[in-house]
Amino acid sequence: MIHRYQGVVVELVSRAVVPAIQVFALYIITHGHYSPGGGFQGGALLAASILLLRFTQGRKESYRRFPPGAGFALAALGLLIFLLVGLASVARGGSFLDYAYLPWPWASPETLRYYGILVVEAGIALTVWGTLVVVFDQVGTRTRDV
Amino acid sequence: MRDVVGLALIFGGLFFVLVSALGLVRFPDFYTRSHALGKSDTLGTILVLGGLAVYGGLTLSSLKLLLILIFVGLGNPTATHALTRAALRSRHEIWSRREGGKKE
Amino acid sequence: MRHRNWVSLGVQTALLFAFWLVLSGRYEPRFLIVGALSVALVLLLNRDIFVLHTVPESGGGHWAVLALGWRWLLYVAWLLYDIAVANIQVASLVLHPRMPIDPVLLRFSVSWRRGATQVLLANSITLTPGTVTVDLRDGEYTVHTLAPRLAQPLVSGEVQKRVASVLGEEAGHAPAVTWIGSVGALEQ
Amino acid sequence: MTALLLGVALVIALLTVVPVFRIVAGPTIYDRVLGVGLMGTNAILLLVLVGYIYDRIDMFVDLAVAYAILNFVGVVVVAKYLERRGET
């Protein structure tokens, strides 16, 4: 399924578009509480950009950029970030994901909430990104020889 | 004034969106129909989005509309090319008047 | 890394950050820092696939970039005009009761080898009168046209000349065009 | 003005029936994907128009950008898949 795309048109346009997609995805992630979106949508867009590269650059190129195992690592890292932030506030006597209780005493609750949400959204995005790419890779390699 | 120009662009774009829809119905085969997505729909989208940007004035949203416009102008012909290429590689035959082709 | 790769990296960074500024719309320091980090991350992830690396150097000094930008503006203006003309032609074909179309394939080659110029020509063809680029391989274009007369600018080499002048390529002569009636005939 | 935009949005929404017809009627798989692409661009226009009508353009324009991206990626990926299938 994943072979080098001989068409120069799609390949070059994808190369031009992918950085823009990723910047847009990061915007969606970091501005989650001002505009629609957030971690999940941003992660899905990041995964879409990787899929575009998978399809237009061929297996070898694309696996060098984003190895098949990286998806698992990203998903695990995202989950770890989410749990750490959540449990950090529990450890200081708040409830799960209560940003005001984060162990960063010199910051105001306002600032804490902003950075807490940002980090949690980033964790969610990493998880979604990694999971979607892993799902695609599994499906892609299963059906390749059919 | 700005409203009038914006509206004129929007209605011009609407006409081309209409043409692309008509083309999708009336053209006889896949390759001819792809002209509807590659051209008419691209221009229709560009005109409507441009008209809305003019109507909205110089705001951040209008700049974002211009970004969508650029993206559609780049992406639509590329998608059309990818599809027609796939069809050609699968030896999908073109409709030709000379061979007395019948509408698919 | 060669000199012009640094230039293209700079241009790419500026473009992406401008993109971010338009998207974000908030210019407090914390958003600018997040933006700069995001752009840096994206640059790092895509450092070897910048499409600008493949855009030919147009010669000249630092002003060459500005000249390139100006030629682009002229080209886009011409392209928009041409798209409008193309669509009025297609509209007249679609709305015509008997639909006087006579689709054929045509094939021609270009001499330039850079991907960016080839892609620009391919997408320009798709957007302009009655023609869609169906295939492009090693500089050989296969184009589907609604009617042979609509492909006239391609046959005379006018479109090729304009695209070549934007990115500073050799224009060459009018291309040798072969007309092909069917996909079956293409195989031989 | 809003009424006019509402009219434009309604016309585009009605025109979306045509790509749906193409998706259902085919006859080839390429026609169906073409219909999906056309429906996608119509949907972008609808999103932006709805944004103007509800005066929430700052929000809807982001949705439209995301939709444009996914539409492009979707059509290219499906075309690539069809190409592989056709070559065998």
Side-chain angles (χ1 to χ4, degrees):
Chain A
M1 192 172 189
I2 307 166
H3 290 267
R4 186 160 181 82
Y5 198 85
Q6 297 295 332
V8 65
V9 178
V10 177
E11 194 204 322
L12 269 187
V13 172
S14 304
R15 277 168 60 178
V17 161
V18 159
I21 295 180
Q22 290 177 346
V23 167
F24 180 69
L26 288 169
Y27 154 74
I28 290 282
I29 293 167
T30 52
H31 290 60
H33 42 310
Y34 296 104
S35 55
F40 190 88
Q41 289 85 337
L45 279 168
L46 283 175
S49 75
I50 296 295
L51 294 202
L52 196 57
L53 287 181
R54 282 270 196 276
F55 267 102
T56 56
Q57 288 212 308
R59 181 184 289 262
K60 231 170 123 190
E61 267 298 293
S62 168
Y63 275 8
R64 198 167 52 78
R65 178 178 318 284
F66 195 103
F72 286 110
L74 281 178
L77 183 68
L79 205 58
L80 190 71
I81 292 173
F82 183 79
L83 285 178
L84 278 183
V85 174
L87 291 175
S89 47
V90 174
R92 287 178 39 95
S95 56
F96 191 71
L97 280 183
D98 192 346
Y99 302 112
Y101 284 92
L102 284 179
W104 198 0
W106 55 88
S108 68
E110 175 80 7
T111 325
L112 268 183
R113 192 163 291 120
Y114 174 76
Y115 285 106
I117 291 177
L118 194 62
V119 171
V120 165
E121 292 281 5
I124 295 171
L126 282 179
T127 308
V128 172
W129 182 17
T131 311
L132 285 181
V133 174
V134 165
V135 166
F136 169 77
D137 280 346
Q138 294 296 318
V139 173
T141 46
R142 288 279 164 74
T143 55
R144 184 164 50 92
D145 302 319
V146 174
Chain B
M1 180 61 204
R2 222 177 56 205
D3 286 12
V4 174
V5 174
L7 266 186
L9 286 175
I10 292 172
F11 278 101
L14 197 61
F15 171 71
F16 286 112
V17 174
L18 189 79
V19 165
S20 78
L22 256 179
L24 206 61
V25 175
R26 290 201 68 200
F27 275 138
D29 79 331
F30 163 71
Y31 292 102
T32 42
R33 278 176 212 135
S34 71
H35 288 254
L37 177 63
K39 278 191 277 293
S40 306
D41 205 47
T42 311
L43 183 72
T45 312
I46 286 177
L47 283 181
V48 172
L49 292 181
L52 284 171
V54 170
Y55 167 67
L58 189 67
T59 61
L60 210 64
S61 301
S62 299
L63 283 177
K64 286 189 193 176
L65 283 183
L66 290 184
L67 284 179
I68 304 180
L69 196 155
I70 294 172
F71 193 87
V72 170
L74 193 68
N76 249 357
T78 309
T80 311
H81 169 79
L83 261 180
T84 50
R85 203 179 110 97
L88 185 80
R89 290 287 168 92
S90 329
R91 326 286 191 257
H92 184 60
E93 193 53 78
I94 67 166
W95 180 88
S96 171
R97 192 173 286 276
R98 280 158 216 193
E99 299 184 4
K102 213 167 130 273
K103 184 174 170 173
E104 262 179 20
Chain C
M1 211 188 225
R2 283 167 302 156
H3 166 70
R4 80 180 179 86
N5 280 7
W6 286 109
V7 174
S8 91
L9 183 66
V11 174
Q12 187 89 31
T13 313
L15 280 178
L16 284 181
F17 199 67
F19 183 50
W20 174 273
L21 289 181
V22 170
L23 283 178
S24 165
R26 292 173 153 259
Y27 305 113
E28 298 129 52
R30 104 182 9 155
F31 287 98
L32 290 181
I33 290 170
V34 169
L37 285 178
S38 303
V39 171
L41 183 68
V42 170
L43 287 173
L44 190 72
L45 281 176
N46 301 303
R47 60 191 174 283
D48 50 343
I49 59 166
F50 295 146
V51 93
L52 287 169
H53 286 348
T54 68
V55 172
E57 206 172 8
S58 48
H62 298 291
W63 296 106
V65 178
L66 278 182
L68 190 70
W70 173 243
R71 283 204 304 258
W72 261 99
L73 266 182
L74 285 183
Y75 181 74
V76 168
W78 170 77
L79 192 65
L80 281 178
Y81 169 76
D82 236 37
I83 294 173
V85 172
N87 277 286
I88 290 164
Q89 285 176 344
V90 172
S92 71
L93 282 178
V94 170
L95 298 175
H96 194 285
R98 275 182 295 107
M99 200 175 256
I101 57 172
D102 180 18
V104 275
L105 295 169
L106 66 123
R107 188 168 250 191
F108 67 91
S109 289
V110 294
S111 57
W112 54 63
R113 281 286 155 262
R114 289 197 184 95
T117 342
Q118 290 185 357
V119 171
L120 187 61
L121 178 59
N123 276 355
S124 303
I125 289 173
T126 304
L127 288 172
T128 49
T131 47
V132 165
T133 309
V134 178
D135 204 355
L136 164 57
R137 181 184 266 171
D138 301 328
E140 189 188 42
Y141 289 75
T142 309
V143 176
H144 181 270
T145 173
L146 284 178
R149 69 186 162 81
L150 291 178
Q152 201 47 47
L154 274 180
V155 177
S156 67
E158 189 197 335
V159 183
Q160 287 93 323
K161 211 176 287 174
R162 279 186 186 270
V163 171
S165 75
V166 180
L167 294 173
E169 293 260 15
E170 291 278 315
H173 307 289
V177 175
T178 25
W179 299 89
I180 300 154
S182 69
V183 175
L186 205 63
E187 304 274 302
Q188 289 119 44
Chain D
M1 192 63 202
T2 307
L4 271 173
L5 288 183
L6 194 64
V8 174
L10 273 178
V11 172
I12 291 182
L14 282 178
L15 283 181
T16 311
V17 174
V18 174
V20 171
F21 161 73
R22 216 12 108 196
I23 292 169
V24 173
T28 65
I29 181 79
Y30 310 104
D31 288 297
R32 296 177 211 269
V33 183
L34 200 68
V36 171
L38 216 90
M39 218 169 115
T41 41
N42 283 359
I44 296 167
L45 292 181
L46 268 182
L47 276 174
V48 175
L49 283 167
V50 167
Y52 268 102
I53 291 165
Y54 286 141
D55 215 12
R56 290 297 311 275
I57 185 65
D58 51 331
M59 192 177 97
F60 276 91
V61 84
D62 284 349
L63 295 177
V65 174
Y67 200 82
I69 289 172
L70 291 180
N71 192 32
F72 171 71
V73 173
V75 172
V76 165
V77 164
V78 172
K80 162 78 178 157
Y81 172 72
L82 290 177
E83 182 167 315
R84 281 295 307 156
R85 208 183 54 164
E87 252 176 59
T88 50

